[in-house]
Structures are given as structure tokens and as C-alpha cells.
Amino acid sequence: MRFEIWDARDARDRARWRAAHEALPTREVYADPAYVGLFAGEGEEPLAAYAETGSGSVLYPFILRPIAAPRLDSGRCDITSAYGYAGAFCSAPPDDPDAKEFWAAFDGFCRDRRVVSEFTRLSLFDDERLAYPGRVEPRLVNVVCDLRVPEDEAWRGYEHKVRKNVNRALRGGVTIEVDETGARLDDFLRIYAGTMDRRGAAASFYFPRGFFETIIREMPGRYAFFHALHSGRVVSTELVLASADTLYSYLGGTEQDAFDLRPNDLLKVEVCRWGRGRAMKRFVLGGGHGPDDGIFRYKRAFAPDGLVPYAVGTRVLDERGYARLCEAHRAEGLRRDPGWAPDPGFFPGYRCALPDVQ
């Protein structure tokens, strides 16, 4: 089996990675080297493991991060995935007998780089990736609209409130514009930032302008902005990412003053119509921030029967190193606050948030 590790920041590797990505039947947008590179910080490496097996190819994007561990020897790393969905995407069947050989080769790389643990946000669609060899932990449910059903059937499948809101938006004069070049990026950024402010979002969701400019410049054909306009002004907007047959609702927002117009309901219905016109199979709306919260219920109204479980994959590859790092992390937390306790559900444990220094 041919096995290689590619770095998205190396021009030669990036070209190979992009070619392998284009050769995947799904052309999964979250496996694009430009996308993965967006989430690798300073000192981190945006990488992909690539293999050619007897049945096809495997492409596993990930980010290798150094571990800062005061008072412990340096040189250890861990693995995470970019925001979104990941896994070992494959053109071979998910139960390919060569899968074990791929993971064995990947584990050899991990030993060489002193990888302690791995955290991966797994793709929703099991038939598009190799089975994960570690622990698979169910998280929140995601909502997926099936774009293969006829439009009139899809319309009847929306909850009543969606149909009501779409008609209200149309009566109010809301129109939808598809922007495949980022021409209205300023409008998107204005509304997105305002939405994050209103929701009290974490700092990690305030992506800089350059983040979106990279998507526009380096991922043509893999995105589209959808804008809802009223009286010539953008009042709701959404960035949609596109794989070969799957659309993903990625980031967006709505002006608070436009809520009564219900522009986002119309926007999502138009995304579905646009996707059907391009023979897409599905539109992934994602989930909420918690079980059955308001965001989840809003999305579920567009596909009450399209609920798909979402899971993450976790592995400890160096048990001794992991234990030492967790103990050092716990000791630092107690030094800062004697009453502190680490979050037992956070993985890896040595990266859970520490109390502020008093």
C-alpha cells in the first residue's frame, strides 16, 4: 500500500492533495487543503494522510498540534480536525479489508511524531469514510434535507410554520440572490458579526475577513453566498459550502430588525431549490448548541424526518503520556484555584479550560 503524509503549506504536497481530493467521488469540501489550512494556527501543521489501496484511495485531513506542557519534556503532539466534519474519506468501500493497513500505517506516523491523542469530528455519512478505529461518541443530532425528493413533496414536508413564514417573506417583498463570487462579502460580514454579537458567541466564531477571502480565492465552485434582500438591502445571509453532491449550511445570520419578514426561512428553501437544480443529494443544516434547543428546533422544521446522528472519534495513542499530561494539567488548575475540577467530558483532558489566574 502506498502511504504518504502531505502538508497543505508545502506547494508540492498541496498540489498532490488537491488532485487526490478532486479524484474522490464525494469531493468532500471539508477535506480541501485550502479549508483545512484555515484552521491550523501558528506552530500547527495542516496535514493529510493519503493511501492507495487495492480497492481505491483514502484521504484523511487533520491538524497536528504541539502540546505545551510546563515542567514536562517537550516534543509531544496531538491531532484534531478542522471545524466541520472529517474522517478518512475514501473511494474504496468503507469496509475495505485494506482499512486496517491504512490505520496501521497512520499509527506508525503517530508514533514517529509522538502523538498522544486524536480528536476527530466525524462525517455524518458512514458510507463515505473508513470506520474509525477509536472510540465513537454520539453528540448532537444534525438535520439533513433530502434534495432528491420533488420540490412539491419537499414543500409539503416542511412544518406548517416554515410554509407560513416563506409566504410571509414573499408577500413582504423579500427576494433571494445567489452570490458565487463573494461580491457582497461586506454585507455578509456586517450581518454575520451582528448576529454573533447578539448571540454572545465565543471569540472563536469571529472569523477575520481574510478567512472568507481565502475561501473565495482558493475554493471556487466549493461555496456560494445566499442573500435575502428587502428594498435593495441584504437582511439575511448564509455561506453554503459544497461537496460533489452535498450542501452544508456553514455560517450566516439575519438582521434583528428584519425578523418579522422571516427572510431566513425563504433563504433556506431557495438553497434547497438551487441544490436540486444542480442534482445535489442533500442540504446539511447542522444541529443546535444543545439537545432540542431553539436553533435545533428551527432547523428541524425544514426536515422533520431528516435527523442524522453526529459523532466524534477519540483515541489515546500514548496512554502513559496522556496520563502524565492530564495530571500536570490538573495540578496547574489546582494551583490556580484549589476548588477547581477538570471537565470529565472534555477530550483531551489536558486541554480543558483552566481557571483564570487570580
Side-chain angles (χ1 to χ4, degrees):
M1 182 185 68
R2 175 187 167 199
F3 179 86
E4 297 182 18
I5 298 290
W6 295 331
D7 187 332
R9 291 173 178 159
D10 179 277
R12 189 175 179 184
D13 283 357
R14 190 183 185 92
R16 292 173 176 173
W17 184 341
R18 190 170 294 281
H21 175 259
E22 289 297 313
L24 282 175
T26 58
R27 295 192 295 282
E28 178 54 58
V29 67
Y30 292 108
D32 188 298
Y35 181 82
V36 179
L38 286 168
F39 291 89
E42 185 176 353
E44 301 176 346
E45 301 174 53
L47 304 178
Y50 174 76
E52 292 180 359
T53 74
S55 305
S57 62
V58 180
L59 183 66
Y60 179 29
F62 62 97
I63 296 170
L64 189 69
R65 306 180 296 182
I67 301 172
R71 296 181 296 280
L72 291 180
D73 60 311
S74 61
R76 288 187 173 91
C77 300
D78 61 13
I79 285 172
T80 190
S81 59
Y83 174 70
Y85 305 96
F89 299 107
C90 56
S91 62
D95 57 354
D96 182 353
D98 291 331
K100 290 183 179 180
E101 190 176 351
F102 169 81
W103 289 116
F106 184 72
D107 289 355
F109 161 80
C110 291
R111 285 191 296 273
D112 291 343
R113 293 299 303 267
R114 301 186 69 194
V115 174
V116 174
S117 70
E118 177 182 55
F119 174 88
T120 305
R121 301 166 181 87
L122 294 172
S123 166
L124 296 175
F125 312 113
D126 294 346
D127 60 340
E128 297 180 356
R129 58 175 173 80
L130 296 181
Y132 185 69
R135 181 179 179 184
V136 176
E137 302 178 20
R139 295 291 175 91
L140 300 175
V141 173
N142 278 205
V143 179
V144 180
C145 296
D146 187 348
L147 303 184
R148 293 167 294 187
V149 302
E151 193 164 322
D152 58 345
E153 182 180 337
W155 176 255
R156 293 192 299 271
Y158 300 140
E159 289 187 3
H160 172 71
K161 64 181 179 180
V162 171
R163 300 194 298 271
K164 179 181 177 181
N165 288 340
V166 168
N167 289 329
R168 181 172 183 172
L170 291 171
R171 287 195 304 271
V174 177
T175 59
I176 304 300
E177 178 182 285
V178 184
D179 172 9
E180 297 182 69
T181 66
R184 289 187 180 268
L185 180 59
D186 287 341
D187 286 312
F188 173 87
L189 293 174
R190 167 178 58 82
I191 293 176
Y192 178 71
T195 301
M196 294 302 100
D197 289 347
R198 189 172 65 246
R199 292 179 176 174
S204 60
F205 282 97
Y206 284 83
F207 299 103
R209 183 186 187 92
F211 175 93
F212 299 100
E213 290 176 337
T214 296
I215 291 176
I216 292 168
R217 182 179 63 252
E218 299 189 22
M219 298 173 61
R222 295 283 174 261
Y223 73 89
F225 292 91
F226 289 79
H227 308 297
L229 285 80
H230 184 256
S231 299
R233 177 181 173 85
V234 178
V235 295
S236 185
T237 185
E238 192 160 309
L239 171 58
V240 174
L241 299 182
S243 298
D245 57 16
T246 303
L247 298 175
Y248 295 92
S249 176
Y250 193 59
L251 300 170
T254 300
E255 282 190 342
Q256 188 167 3
D257 291 345
F259 282 172
D260 286 346
L261 291 168
R262 302 297 190 263
N264 197 256
D265 293 72
L266 176 61
L267 187 153
K268 283 183 168 54
V269 168
E270 289 299 318
V271 172
C272 290
R273 180 176 291 122
W274 185 83
R276 284 191 193 91
R278 284 154 181 77
M280 293 287 185
K281 291 182 180 179
R282 54 209 170 202
F283 178 31
V284 177
L285 298 181
H289 296 305
D292 203 36
D293 66 4
I295 294 176
F296 173 75
R297 291 194 299 273
Y298 173 72
K299 294 176 179 179
R300 185 181 60 194
F302 292 88
D305 298 323
L307 306 185
V308 179
Y310 165 66
V312 300
T314 62
R315 288 200 296 167
V316 174
L317 295 112
D318 176 358
E319 295 279 358
R320 183 178 178 185
Y322 186 86
R324 292 186 67 198
L325 287 166
C326 287
E327 181 55 35
H329 194 74
R330 181 175 179 276
E332 175 62 18
L334 293 174
R335 184 190 69 80
R336 298 184 183 190
D337 178 0
W340 176 77
D343 179 355
F346 193 90
F347 186 91
Y350 54 81
R351 286 191 182 269
C352 72
L354 288 168
D356 293 332
V357 177
Q358 300 298 320

